[in-house]
Amino acid sequence: MKVLVTVKEVAQVEDEFEIADREIAAQSLDYDLNEWDDYAIEEGVGMVEDGVADEVVSVTVGPERSEETIRMALAKGVDRAIRVWDDSLEAAELLDPSAKAKILEAVVEDEAPDLVLTGVQADDDAFGATGVTLAERIGFQWAAVVNDLDLDADADVAHVHRELEGGVDEVTDVELPAVLTIQTGINEPRYASLRGIRQAQRKELDVRGLDDLGLDGSIADGPLTLTEMYEPETESDATIWEGDAGETAGNLAEYLRDRGVIDA
Amino acid sequence: MSVLAVAEHRNGELRDVSFELLTAGRELADAAGADLHVAVISGDAEAFAEELNREGVDAIHAVTYGDEFNHDVYVQAIEALAADLDPTFLLAPNSVNGLDYAPAIAESLDLPLVTDVIDLAYDDGLVATREMYGSKVETTIEVDGDRAAVTVRPTEWPPAEGLGDAEIGVVDVAIDESAIGSTITGFEEAAEGDVNLEDAEFIVSIGRGIEEEENLELIEELCEVTGATMGSSRPIVDNDWLPDNRQVGQSGAVVTPDVYIAIGISGAVQHVAGMKGSDTIIAINTDPNAPIFDIADYGIVGDLFEVVPALIEEFE
């Protein structure tokens, strides 16, 4: 059993930022491993540790900077990693789920995993669609928003819970091979140990261009064009209590007493 | 030209987003000069079709196969309907189930896909508005080509009302059962335990701003001196700092207290979905641009580690 975990380096935006040419200025961006992918990594690494899977491989689509992120996956126990990049991808403002899935499809063809784990969504563009799009492309079964996973490799089935709205789980059996999109909270992602970080430096990180995957730059010319990016108009009509902590706390306490929710 | 909107139901009831989809679908159909078709798949599809017959709907197609949602059935049913109706735009809810079939159907029908859309316009082509970076920015996306699949964020459009005069048809789709690769075996509700947020009249909720687990003591103390019930946003529960039954939001409890105080919670859409029905919302956050202030009635822009101790002092 081989597990492929897709990971993404995502940009987080500081409280204060400026937008120019449909991009957020670089000094306001911090890069990190996508939160959902952290849980997917933990799930995959746990399968190898539990003897359910033989190997867990990570793939990312990203520039050289994102090697920091994929090294993080290696440090947490992923066996080896693949980074795909191309100048044409650098130039694209927006990669739609289908383009991402085409790239990942080529990696799946090379790697032939039995199980692909993705995060439910990426924290930055939040399409939430790449995993299921990939499943459709590669002819795997799938389940979206999985918050509990029990793999029965002998029976080729994944017993999963899908987290529906309102605190209800759907309990589903999914035939393998499958793509599962992993929800936060499914496990407790580990921190990379110093030993893990050292070992990660020696693990294989294979960098591939689109050519190597039998693809070309036209993949970046998707059907979606980002035409505007702006800060939403604040809809706030909240009364803001001004002053230092003591004054604002006093205002709030007075309100709560007037409102009658507190007797004290 | 036509718009095909796919309704959503669970446990014998249409979900609210289904009626919101009708509004979004009608607006788009008007802008593009199209008819609005609605598909309702599985469950008591015929009864659902009657309910979905609201003003502005031109035709409803009820596919009577299976009970609860299964993505393979949905994909096959929509493929069959699309072969017949040739829809220009496919609309689905941006829900957990919507995201379990819409990407697959978009890929199989070769439709560009835009998810979690909060506004739609048509100007010789589809223009969709969606958020990025956790609601910090909005973007507009133009779709090249004539067709598209779109998932629509719940609660962004008002529900369609009024009795319509849609043509309702029962569609017999031949579902290939050998192509169904997942089987739903049941449903489980998260344990309620001793906390009942739904009935609470005064809730103090804590989010990422608390930074460390041990800092939760501060919020516990506030709840103790004020008699508030403690809730939280998702990250706190994901970290196992509080049990599942404390979570307010789309995947947790939907609450409607008299007063809801959100402390260190940015106001992501998933959290807001669970507490926007509160009578009065008070936000405490360091970031004056945090989306939580958009729905708050009162706010304090400040550091919770200063404001909360001062507040505790007020009631001691």
Side-chain angles (χ1 to χ4, degrees):
Chain A
M1 167 86 48
K2 181 169 171 181
V3 181
L4 181 70
V5 182
T6 66
V7 303
K8 188 181 180 193
E9 174 204 67
V10 293
Q12 281 164 346
V13 182
E14 293 173 357
D15 288 348
E16 299 293 326
F17 61 93
E18 286 185 19
I19 298 169
D21 294 333
R22 301 181 300 280
E23 276 184 350
I24 292 175
Q27 68 267 22
S28 312
L29 296 177
D30 299 315
Y31 292 94
D32 204 351
L33 170 64
N34 182 41
E35 185 182 356
W36 283 263
D37 301 346
D38 202 9
Y39 291 87
I41 291 166
E42 181 62 41
E43 208 60 26
V45 170
M47 283 173 191
V48 172
E49 286 174 346
D50 296 344
V52 184
D54 309 305
E55 189 183 24
V56 54
V57 180
S58 267
V59 56
T60 194
V61 179
E64 200 173 344
R65 185 193 55 230
S66 66
E67 291 201 356
E68 205 174 313
T69 297
I70 201 135
R71 288 270 177 221
M72 191 58 73
L74 292 169
K76 286 170 182 248
V78 166
D79 293 308
R80 61 190 172 82
I82 299 158
R83 177 173 73 85
V84 181
W85 199 237
D86 189 270
D87 289 342
S88 58
L89 301 177
E90 182 89 56
E93 282 184 350
L94 182 68
L95 275 187
D96 73 315
S98 191
K100 291 175 198 163
K102 280 173 191 155
I103 296 168
L104 295 173
E105 176 185 21
V107 174
V108 166
E109 279 171 6
D110 284 353
E111 292 289 334
D114 304 286
L115 181 67
V116 179
L117 303 179
T118 74
V120 163
Q121 65 178 60
D123 202 25
D124 49 8
D125 61 13
F127 265 90
T130 303
V132 174
T133 306
L134 173 66
E136 175 67 24
R137 285 199 70 84
I138 61 181
F140 279 26
Q141 303 300 331
W142 73 86
V145 194
V146 170
N147 67 355
D148 190 72
L149 168 57
D150 175 20
L151 200 66
D152 185 345
D154 295 332
D156 273 341
V157 64
H159 305 288
V160 306
H161 285 202
R162 295 183 55 238
E163 185 186 274
L164 304 181
E165 293 85 355
V168 177
D169 286 357
E170 177 199 284
V171 185
T172 298
D173 290 342
V174 185
E175 294 170 13
L176 299 182
V179 179
L180 306 177
T181 81
I182 301 296
Q183 175 67 306
T184 58
I186 187 173
N187 53 38
E188 283 184 49
R190 70 194 65 193
Y191 291 98
S193 65
L194 281 174
R195 184 160 160 268
I197 291 167
R198 273 201 303 275
Q199 284 176 340
Q201 297 305 321
R202 293 194 297 274
K203 287 182 178 172
E204 181 185 333
L205 201 176
D206 186 11
V207 180
R208 291 185 206 168
L210 292 179
D211 295 352
D212 304 324
L213 296 172
L215 300 167
D216 62 57
S218 65
I219 207 167
D221 301 327
L224 307 186
T225 309
L226 187 70
T227 53
E228 285 178 68
M229 180 184 287
Y230 52 91
E231 277 191 77
E233 300 252 328
T234 174
E235 292 160 20
S236 178
D237 51 6
T239 303
I240 302 291
W241 288 309
E242 310 277 354
D244 64 20
E247 291 167 88
T248 54
N251 291 134
L252 174 50
E254 191 185 334
Y255 176 83
L256 293 175
R257 287 196 185 97
D258 288 352
R259 186 64 194 261
V261 290
I262 295 174
D263 309 323
Chain B
M1 229 181 178
S2 67
V3 174
L4 178 62
V6 184
E8 179 161 318
H9 59 86
R10 193 202 298 170
N11 198 18
E13 283 181 31
L14 285 165
R15 301 192 67 232
D16 292 348
V17 68
S18 298
F19 299 99
E20 296 157 21
L21 268 185
L22 302 183
T23 305
R26 184 67 253 165
E27 285 177 13
L28 179 60
D30 283 344
D35 289 335
L36 174 60
H37 290 251
V38 175
V40 56
I41 302 163
S42 303
D44 196 351
E46 285 179 77
F48 291 147
E50 295 292 341
E51 271 189 80
L52 288 163
N53 187 7
R54 301 263 167 114
E55 259 174 52
V57 179
D58 294 300
I60 303 172
H61 312 276
V63 179
T64 53
Y65 179 97
D67 297 320
E68 291 292 339
F69 171 79
N70 174 289
H71 62 234
D72 293 314
V73 172
Y74 268 55
V75 168
Q76 289 190 39
I78 296 166
E79 278 175 348
L81 289 171
D84 194 32
L85 300 169
D86 194 23
T88 314
F89 300 115
L90 182 68
L91 296 191
N94 197 74
S95 58
V96 171
N97 283 344
L99 288 173
D100 198 45
Y101 72 86
I105 193 77
E107 193 62 25
S108 100
L109 297 178
D110 200 18
L111 297 171
L113 172 68
V114 193
T115 60
D116 204 14
V117 161
I118 58 171
D119 198 14
L120 281 170
Y122 181 86
D123 181 16
D124 275 336
L126 194 69
V127 182
T129 304
R130 63 192 304 282
E131 296 179 337
M132 272 181 74
Y133 302 114
S135 305
K136 282 210 164 89
V137 304
E138 285 181 12
T139 60
T140 51
I141 291 178
E142 286 184 16
V143 181
D144 302 335
D146 302 329
R147 292 159 191 275
V150 172
T151 67
V152 166
R153 179 181 290 182
T155 74
E156 289 293 326
W157 277 265
E161 294 180 2
L163 183 64
D165 54 2
E167 197 179 307
I168 297 178
V170 176
V171 189
D172 190 17
V173 175
I175 300 290
D176 174 7
E177 295 186 357
S178 70
I180 296 179
S182 55
T183 312
I184 294 155
T185 59
F187 293 88
E188 279 182 16
E189 292 213 26
E192 243 183 46
D194 54 346
V195 184
N196 197 343
L197 284 167
E198 275 96 346
D199 291 339
E201 292 299 347
F202 179 26
I203 294 174
V204 169
S205 259
I206 183 67
R208 261 186 223 274
I210 197 69
E211 293 173 2
E212 303 285 342
E213 185 174 10
E214 52 266 33
N215 296 340
L216 276 177
E217 284 175 17
L218 189 62
I219 307 304
E220 280 162 9
E221 197 181 342
L222 177 63
C223 288
E224 204 165 300
V225 297
T226 58
T229 304
M230 180 154 65
S232 82
S233 65
R234 177 169 194 123
I236 305 299
V237 168
D238 278 348
N239 285 342
D240 279 338
W241 294 353
L242 287 175
D244 286 358
N245 56 19
R246 295 282 179 178
Q247 188 188 332
V248 174
Q250 180 185 286
S251 48
V254 175
V255 301
T256 53
D258 281 346
V259 175
Y260 187 94
I261 306 185
I263 304 179
I265 292 175
S266 66
V269 59
Q270 292 84 355
H271 183 74
V272 169
M275 46 68 82
K276 64 175 187 297
S278 305
D279 191 75
T280 299
I281 295 169
I282 302 168
I284 303 175
N285 205 295
T286 48
D287 177 9
N289 299 316
I292 192 75
F293 288 112
D294 289 351
I295 58 155
D297 301 290
Y298 297 91
I300 296 173
V301 178
D303 184 348
L304 77 90
F305 296 107
E306 294 172 12
V307 176
V308 173
L311 196 54
I312 291 169
E313 214 166 283
E314 288 281 338
F315 294 109
E316 269 175 347

